[in-house]
Amino acid sequence: VKICSPAQYRRASASRRACLIARFNFIYAKDRLDAEICLKKFICDIEMVQRIIYVAVLESFRAARKAFWKIKISVKQTLAACHCGGPASLEVAVLSYIACHKELFDVCCCVQEVVCCMNMSPKLPCPADIDFNVINCFIQELCCLAFSMQTLIPPLDVAYGIDGELFKRSTYYRSCDSDFTAPFVAYHVWPALMENGAVIVKGEVVTRK
């Protein structure tokens, strides 16, 4: 593994970071709507459909982050045996190795974990005949994206919102069917993308009184 400093790694991964952010925006603009179309075949309530999509994003990032840390521990133990640099350079070497060997990530297992969590989620009281595997491709794309985002320094992640929270213009856009005078979030449509606690891409919410 080529050894470089954290600063060098940040510069080298700048273009990859830009591509991942662009991919996040594309999923929001295109894949999210395709997933909504799939769900609308089974669910007439658009609010429930949007809630399902939102939970799918959060669960995909959670599952991918969990898988990443397991792989990271394993790779670090392997590389530490032959690494000559300090802790910082070892960390960079580990991230670089994982970024170049995406086959280490079992995306199918991650997708199934997401679907299982969604089936058990109390926030999604859907009819029993709904199988969240209908948006399998959407979840898979999110898992792959979330995993790749963990290899950046610093990593990118999504913000977790709470129904009823105060609407923040710096974090969210209002959905077109919102009450634009309402100060509180009724529910979330899409999460904001964060980096070191700062909003990189705004999310979308519905506000109602």
Side-chain angles (χ1 to χ4, degrees), residues 33 61 66-68 83 95 99 109 111 139 159 164-165 171 174 197 199:
L33 299 180
F61 270 78
K66 175 182 170 185
F68 172 81
H83 187 75
L95 294 178
C109 181
V111 169
I139 295 173
E165 67 177 307
T171 306
R174 294 181 197 262
V199 177

Side-chain angles (χ1 to χ4, degrees), residues 9-27:
Y9 184 79
R10 287 191 190 95
R11 288 194 294 269
S13 63
S15 61
R16 192 157 56 87
R17 174 184 176 276
C19 288
L20 291 173
I21 293 174
R23 190 171 157 200
F24 180 82
N25 288 330
F26 181 82
I27 292 175

Side-chain angles (χ1 to χ4, degrees), residues 164-168 174 179 181-185 207-209:
E165 67 177 307
L166 186 66
F167 171 74
K168 295 180 182 178
R174 294 181 197 262
D179 180 340
T181 63
F184 299 106
V185 174
T207 56
R208 290 177 187 152
K209 291 183 179 178

Side-chain angles (χ1 to χ4, degrees), residues 142-160:
L142 285 168
C143 288
C144 290
L145 174 65
F147 185 84
S148 294
M149 285 181 167
Q150 301 310 303
T151 64
L152 300 173
I153 300 179
L156 301 179
D157 206 349
V158 290
Y160 285 69

